[in-house]
Amino acid sequence: MLEITEKEIINNRGQIRAILGSILNDSVLVRVCLGNQPEEYSSIMLSIDDKHRIITFDELHPIDGHYIISKGARFTINTRNSGVETRFSSKVKEIGIEDGVHFYKLKWPKELIYSQKRAAFRVPTTQDFSGEVEFTSAEGLLINKAKGRLQDISATGFGGLVANDSLELGKNYKAILFFQKTPPINAVVEIKFLGISGSRGTRRFGAVFVSVEGGTSKIPGLVNRIERDLIRRGSL
């Protein structure tokens, strides 16, 4: 289990704006509780109006949640973005509809409860985002039995299973990550962990990104998509 920092209460308007902006820009799925009810619904932030201090959210899913909302209802929002957990409460200022889909305008929160992990948050791969990795040497030569199966990924690295004795601890390799529903990712990685050789001819490995072709900014977006898929499946 990764350690996390102590929960921090954010009440600075600029900091609140920056955190909400990150949730908006990354299209992070949020979990919503209404009042004191235990049921959770999902939504996505649609816009931020800093001038008028309004946040707009998309229609709740399942739709049952929409029918118990009224003006002044209290939303409690929980979300996780690349290992950062954010929680805040606000009241509904306006309920609207556009193109047959409802939306909710909420008052700007007075404070956020913000918890950040000390290490990068690693998510397990899912059925829709199953992946494989192929390692090559620094010279670009294919290593014998160097194809592996990905089991998890974070903004800074990934882990999985690979054939026994195909990788060396502490060595850099060129790697191609193949995921369903996303283009291959070319990177240079360093092997940071190798497990005990298993009887089935495989062992666990852990690698960190040294560099990523096209920049590392594409990795957090992939992690977020897998994270949202896990939330939809009720696995996170």
Side-chain angles (χ1 to χ4, degrees), residues 121-157:
F121 179 68
R122 184 165 286 187
V123 295
T125 55
T126 65
Q127 181 178 352
D128 285 348
F129 288 93
S130 59
E132 296 180 346
V133 58
E134 183 177 281
F135 294 97
T136 61
S137 67
E139 293 75 28
L141 301 176
L142 186 65
I143 307 167
N144 187 33
K145 298 181 181 178
K147 291 184 179 180
R149 180 164 59 90
L150 293 169
Q151 294 183 314
D152 51 59
I153 186 169
S154 74
T156 58

Side-chain angles (χ1 to χ4, degrees), residues 23 28-34 38-45 57 60-61 75-81 84-88 227-228 230-232 234-236:
I23 295 171
V28 178
L29 193 72
V30 303
R31 301 185 299 277
V32 179
C33 288
L34 303 174
E39 292 85 359
E40 281 192 347
Y41 304 92
S42 60
S43 181
I44 289 179
M45 189 182 296
F57 283 91
L60 295 185
H61 178 80
F75 271 36
T76 299
I77 309 291
N78 287 275
T79 188
R80 178 160 48 193
N81 186 16
V84 177
E85 296 182 2
T86 304
R87 182 176 184 272
F88 63 91
E227 191 177 52
R228 290 199 296 271
L230 287 166
I231 291 173
R232 291 189 185 101
S235 301
L236 200 64

